């Protein structure tokens, strides 16, 4: 129940928005929104849904609380929650585009997003061009008469390339295009793309927003009333919605987003410094390092660098595999953004669906390792890496 309280701070919003106690007669004053499992909502009058609720796919009170809370964290007017990040992406594309439309996408994207574009949307009659969006002029150069939307991740997955949201938003605005930003890697705690001129923000809430590697979800945030009408219609018509239980888990997770992001970042910076000086490492990519090519830009458009880093191990893919398989605290697993540290080999795992030729062209080599730094004690994480490095003998 909304009490119309205006909260200022991010953490206050994360804890309270959408979950204000309900003191109406018969209500119990819960400080946590209940998990409403009812799939349908009874009415007293044929034409009047009780409290606006009709059927669970269309809307339910637990999902509503999540959507309202996440929208407030992203400084958005609207938020819609889906069954996963890819379901959110699919619904955005089907709601706002038509076959024949052209999409300009960042050449470094999560492998599943690239697969969605290349294997599903191209088959449906959409056209996609990939550009290195770290240079905004490449986005402008790729615009055609049929272009409708620009899709970026910043920082990107897995190469952590950063693009200039404001500069790209200026280009898309001039040409009447939609700018969609996947904000999964930094979360609304460190970056708010709508404030920088983006039209749509997408998240895999499976990652930092959920934060505990126990819930799948996706969210879309935006300000435009017309988008709201179209997206809400398609959300209901397509039906890839988050369940009430998963909404609850995500609500529970997001309350500590700010605390977790600070710890992820602190640990990631220490690990990036450790790896930078390691003789068996040839390259470290972390937006919080001065050596990152877009370090200055990042400092302008975000308030932090996040908890994901990538690095290249010297040697062969067999050395990379040996290192990964020797780790004891890091879980060798896909995904990111949970409290536990995860590590993976994109060429074989998260980005295996991207053609080898394309992967190598943009820099996803066989020995590139991606790490999602958790919130554990960093000295334990570094000790774990030390013992794993000792297992590889690089000449
Ligand atoms: O897994 P899902 O909730 O459907 O989210 C897809 C997705 C979208 N956007 C970004 C930036 C992502 O990283 C992901 C999922 N990524 C992984 C599973 C991964 O390990 O990179």
């Amino acid at each position: 129940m909304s009490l119309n309280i205006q909260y200022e701070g991010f953490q206050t919003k994360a804890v309270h928005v959408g979950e204000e106690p309900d003191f109406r007669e018969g209500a119990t004053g819960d400080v946590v929104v209940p998990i409403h499992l009812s799939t349908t909502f009874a009415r007293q009058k044929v034409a009047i849904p009780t409290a606006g609720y009709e059927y669970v796919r269309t809307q339910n009170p637990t999902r509503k609380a999540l959507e309202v809370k996440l929208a407030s964290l992203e400084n958005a007017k609207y938020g819609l929650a889906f069954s996963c990040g890819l379901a959110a992406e699919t619904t955005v594309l089907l709601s706002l585009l038509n076959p024949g439309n052209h999409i300009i996408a960042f050449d470094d994207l999560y492998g599943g997003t690239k697969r969605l574009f290349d294997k599903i949307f191209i088959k449906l009659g959409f056209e996609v061009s990939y550009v290195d969006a770290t240079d905004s002029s490449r986005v402008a150069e790729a615009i055609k008469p049929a272009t409708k939307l620009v899709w970026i991740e910043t920082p990107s997955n897995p190469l952590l390339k950063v693009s200039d949201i404001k500069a790209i938003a200026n280009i898309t605005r001039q040409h009447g295009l939609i700018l969609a930003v996947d904000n999964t890697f930094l979360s609304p705690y460190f970056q708010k793309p709508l404030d920088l001129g983006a039209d749509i923000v997408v998240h895999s809430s499976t990652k930092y927003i959920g934060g505990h590697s126990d819930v799948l979800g996706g969210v879309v945030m935006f300000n435009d009333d017309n988008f709201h009408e179209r997206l809400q219609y398609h959300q209901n018509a397509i039906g890839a919605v988050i369940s009430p239980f998963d909404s609850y888990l995500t609500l529970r997770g997001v309350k500590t987003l700010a605390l977790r992001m600070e710890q992820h970042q602190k640990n990631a910076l220490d690990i990036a410094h450790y790896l930078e000086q390691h003789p068996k490492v040839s390259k470290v990519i972390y937006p919080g390092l001065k050596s990152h090519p877009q370090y200055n830009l990042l400092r302008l458009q975000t308030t932090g660098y996040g908890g994901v880093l990538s690095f290249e191990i010297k040697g062969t893919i067999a050395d990379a595999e040996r290192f990964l398989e020797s780790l004891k605290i890091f879980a060798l697993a896909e995904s990111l953004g949970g409290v536990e540290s995860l590590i993976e080999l994109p060429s074989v795992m998260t980005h295996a669906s991207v053609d080898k030729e394309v992967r190598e062209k943009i820099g996803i080599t066989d020995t590139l390792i991606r790490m999602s730094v958790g919130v554990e004690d960093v000295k334990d994480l570094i000790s774990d890496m030390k013992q794993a490095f000792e297992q590889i003998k690089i000449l």
Side-chain angles (χ1 to χ4, degrees), residues 84-87 89 110 113 153 157 182 184-185 204-207 216-217 334-336 344 350-351 370:
C84 68
L86 288 176
E89 295 177 16
Y110 166 56
T113 300
E153 285 176 9
N157 182 359
D182 185 329
T184 299
F185 268 40
S204 167
S205 53
T206 319
K207 312 297 182 313
L216 183 68
E334 302 197 5
S335 203
L336 57 106
E344 63 118 8
T350 50
H351 291 69
R370 189 192 74 186

Side-chain angles (χ1 to χ4, degrees), residues 316-331:
T316 63
I317 187 165
D319 296 312
E321 286 178 0
R322 192 168 167 81
F323 171 78
L324 292 169
E325 289 166 8
S326 302
L327 288 162
K328 294 184 166 65
I329 299 177
F330 285 85

Side-chain angles (χ1 to χ4, degrees), residues 274-295:
Y274 164 72
L275 290 170
E276 246 189 344
Q277 53 71 47
H278 201 285
K280 291 178 182 170
V281 171
S282 58
K283 184 175 176 184
V284 183
I285 312 171
Y286 178 59
L289 290 178
K290 292 207 173 78
S291 59
H292 189 283
Q294 291 98 34
Y295 177 75

